[in-house]
Amino acid sequence: MSRPTKSDRGSETRELILVTAERLFAEHGVEAVSNRQVSEAAGQSNNSAVSYHFGTKEDLVLAIVRRHYEPVERRRTEMLAEITGSPDLRDWMSCLVRPITEHLASLGSPSWYARFLAQVTTHPSWRELVSKEAVSARSMQQTIEGTFRLVPRLPEEVLQERSYMGRLLLVHMCAERERALHEGTARPRSTWESTAAGLVDALVGVWLAPVTARR
Amino acid sequence: MSRPTKSDRGSETRELILVTAERLFAEHGVEAVSNRQVSEAAGQSNNSAVSYHFGTKEDLVLAIVRRHYEPVERRRTEMLAEITGSPDLRDWMSCLVRPITEHLASLGSPSWYARFLAQVTTHPSWRELVSKEAVSARSMQQTIEGTFRLVPRLPEEVLQERSYMGRLLLVHMCAERERALHEGTARPRSTWESTAAGLVDALVGVWLAPVTARR
C-alpha cells in the first residue's frame, strides 16, 4: 500500500466532516450547531476546518445533500424509464418515494440523512435552499410533470399545498422510520419497503382527494 | 382601581413566562432553550423564576399546551354535538381540524402556538408528552372513535401510520400558515378557513386511500 497523499487526507477529512455534521444537524437542528462545533466533533484540531474545506454553513448543508443525491437520482432515472407514459399515479408516486427509501435502506442503521432532512425542512430558509437543489434534478422534474398530468385540474393554491403536503409526509415518515430503526422500536412500519408502500398509498390519496368547493 | 395584590402579580408573571417560553420554543426548539433563558427573556431578575412558578421544563411545556386546551376542547365538544352519528368522514375530520384552526385564527398574528407544536412534535420524547395530553381529552377520544367507525378495515400498522400522518399534516400545515401570516407572505393558503378546508380534504384522502396488498 502506498502512503496516503496529502489529497487523500484532504478528502478523508472532508468525508469525516460531512458525516459528523449530518449527525449533529439531525440530532440538534441546523441552527443549533456551529461550524466550530462540527470541527471539534470531527476531531479537527483546527477550529476553522469546516470553513477551510467547505466555506459557509450553507455550502456544508448543500454538500451533505449532494452526497446522497447521485444514487437517488440514478435510481429514479432507472425507475422512470420503466414507467414511461404510465397512466397510473401510483407508479409516479413510487418514483418519488422508492429511490429515497431504497437509498436509506442501503445506508444501514444508524443512518442520519432522513432526520437531517426533517430538521432542515422545519426551517423555511434551509428548506428553500435544499428543495431548490432537489427539484432541479432532471429525474425529479420528470416525476413532477408525470404526476401533474394525472391529477385532476386543481386550483393553483391546492396544487402548491398538496405538493408541500407530499414533501412533509415523505420527509417526516422516513425520519420517523429511521429513528425507530435506530432506537430498536419497530413502529410505525416494520420495513423500508412497507414504509414506501404506506407512503405511496397516502400520497395517491392526497392527490386524488376531492376538493371542497370554496366559500 | 385597587392596587394589584401579590397573587395578581404572581399570575401576571406566570402568564408572561408562558408567552415568552412559547415564542422561544417555537423559534428555536424546546431542547435549545433553557429555563434560565426563558426567565431572562421574560425579564425576571430571578433566574430560577421558571422553576419557582412551574417546576421542570416538562411542566412548563404542559402548561403552554393546557393554556390553549380549554377553548379547543370546548369548540370540539360543540361541533361533535352537531354531527352525532354522521356517516360522513368529512364531518369528523372537520371536528379534528377546525377547533384548532379557529383557535389559531382567534389568536391574531403573530401567534406562536402552531410553530411551538411543530417544534415539540419533531422530538419524540416531547411529542409523546404532548400527544398523551391531547388524546386524553374527551372530545378528542370521541373524534377518533367516530373516525375509526367510518374508515375501511385497516391493518393495525396502517391505522397507526395514518393517525400519525394526520397529526403531521395538521401540525405542520398550521405551523406553515402561521409563519406565512407572520412573515406577510400568503402561501400556501390565504385564510385559516381555506387552510382548514385543504386539511379536511387531504385527511379524508389519506384515510380512504386504498391499501396496497403487502408482499
Side-chain angles (χ1 to χ4, degrees):
Chain A
M1 245 169 68
S2 57
R3 280 179 58 189
T5 63
K6 193 172 170 191
S7 118
D8 286 341
R9 280 197 304 275
S11 88
E12 272 168 34
T13 305
R14 277 179 61 93
E15 180 71 13
L16 186 61
I17 290 172
L18 285 176
V19 171
T20 307
E22 182 178 73
R23 175 174 57 78
L24 291 176
F25 292 156
E27 285 179 305
H28 308 292
V30 177
E31 310 255 327
V33 179
S34 67
N35 283 359
R36 187 195 173 98
Q37 286 169 314
V38 173
S39 299
E40 279 176 12
Q44 300 301 304
S45 50
N46 183 348
N47 277 333
S48 52
V50 168
S51 319
Y52 176 77
H53 287 278
F54 294 95
T56 64
K57 198 195 262 186
E58 245 178 55
D59 299 320
L60 177 59
V61 166
L62 280 178
I64 296 171
V65 172
R66 287 184 187 134
R67 195 165 161 266
H68 296 279
Y69 188 90
E70 195 260 334
V72 172
E73 169 78 2
R74 192 174 52 222
R75 181 70 184 118
R76 190 173 283 129
T77 305
E78 280 169 22
M79 288 185 71
L80 284 166
E82 291 163 15
I83 64 153
T84 312
S86 167
D88 186 352
L89 183 56
R90 191 166 300 273
D91 286 339
W92 298 91
M93 291 300 103
S94 193
C95 278
L96 178 70
V97 170
R98 286 203 164 78
I100 294 168
T101 52
E102 289 179 10
H103 176 61
L104 287 165
S106 79
L107 296 175
S109 181
S111 65
W112 299 94
Y113 184 53
R115 285 170 282 181
F116 161 80
L117 283 180
Q119 288 284 1
V120 165
T121 312
T122 306
H123 279 275
S125 50
W126 295 108
R127 177 174 65 227
E128 206 166 318
L129 183 78
V130 167
S131 79
K132 213 180 274 173
E133 183 76 13
V135 169
S136 71
R138 189 143 176 283
S139 67
M140 192 57 133
Q141 279 299 329
Q142 291 176 319
T143 308
I144 295 170
E145 283 161 26
T147 304
F148 283 7
R149 268 199 303 274
L150 294 176
V151 299
R153 244 185 119 75
L154 295 171
E156 179 61 25
E157 70 172 5
V158 177
L159 205 67
Q160 294 297 328
E161 179 182 63
R162 292 187 177 182
S163 300
Y164 183 70
M165 286 175 169
R167 283 203 298 278
L168 263 181
L169 290 177
L170 179 56
V171 166
H172 286 276
M173 294 310 288
C174 286
E176 193 55 22
R177 161 88 189 130
E178 186 184 69
R179 181 180 294 118
L181 206 58
H182 187 184
E183 291 171 358
T185 56
R187 291 181 311 140
R189 286 275 202 157
S190 47
T191 65
W192 279 110
E193 172 47 34
S194 63
T195 303
L199 272 165
V200 168
D201 291 344
L203 293 178
V204 169
V206 167
W207 278 114
L208 299 184
V211 177
T212 305
R214 280 173 296 167
R215 306 181 192 173
Chain B
M1 246 169 64
S2 58
R3 281 178 59 190
T5 64
K6 194 173 169 191
S7 120
D8 286 342
R9 281 197 304 276
S11 89
E12 272 169 34
T13 305
R14 277 179 61 93
E15 180 71 14
L16 186 62
I17 290 173
L18 284 176
V19 171
T20 307
E22 182 179 71
R23 175 174 58 78
L24 290 176
F25 292 157
E27 285 179 305
H28 308 291
V30 178
E31 309 255 327
V33 179
S34 66
N35 282 0
R36 188 196 174 98
Q37 285 169 316
V38 173
S39 299
E40 277 175 15
Q44 300 302 304
S45 51
N46 182 349
N47 277 331
S48 51
V50 167
S51 319
Y52 175 77
H53 286 278
F54 294 96
T56 64
K57 198 194 263 186
E58 246 178 55
D59 299 320
L60 177 58
V61 166
L62 281 178
I64 296 171
V65 173
R66 288 186 187 132
R67 198 166 160 265
H68 296 279
Y69 188 91
E70 194 262 331
V72 171
E73 169 79 0
R74 191 174 51 222
R75 181 71 184 116
R76 190 172 283 128
T77 304
E78 279 169 24
M79 289 185 69
L80 283 167
E82 291 163 17
I83 65 153
T84 312
S86 167
D88 187 352
L89 183 56
R90 191 166 300 273
D91 286 339
W92 297 91
M93 291 299 104
S94 193
C95 278
L96 180 69
V97 169
R98 285 201 163 79
I100 295 168
T101 52
E102 288 178 11
H103 176 61
L104 287 165
S106 79
L107 296 175
S109 181
S111 65
W112 297 95
Y113 184 53
R115 286 170 281 181
F116 162 81
L117 282 180
Q119 288 284 1
V120 164
T121 312
T122 306
H123 280 275
S125 49
W126 295 108
R127 177 174 63 228
E128 206 164 320
L129 182 79
V130 168
S131 78
K132 213 178 275 174
E133 183 76 14
V135 169
S136 71
R138 192 147 173 281
S139 68
M140 191 57 132
Q141 279 298 328
Q142 290 177 318
T143 308
I144 294 170
E145 284 162 24
T147 304
F148 283 7
R149 268 199 303 274
L150 293 176
V151 300
R153 244 185 119 75
L154 295 171
E156 179 61 24
E157 69 173 5
V158 177
L159 205 67
Q160 294 298 328
E161 179 182 62
R162 293 187 176 183
S163 300
Y164 185 68
M165 287 176 168
R167 283 202 299 277
L168 262 181
L169 290 177
L170 179 56
V171 167
H172 286 277
M173 295 310 288
C174 286
E176 193 57 22
R177 161 88 189 130
E178 185 185 70
R179 182 181 294 118
L181 207 58
H182 187 186
E183 292 171 358
T185 56
R187 291 180 311 138
R189 287 275 201 155
S190 47
T191 64
W192 279 110
E193 172 47 34
S194 63
T195 303
L199 272 166
V200 168
D201 290 345
L203 294 178
V204 169
V206 167
W207 277 113
L208 298 185
V211 176
T212 305
R214 280 171 296 165
R215 305 181 191 171

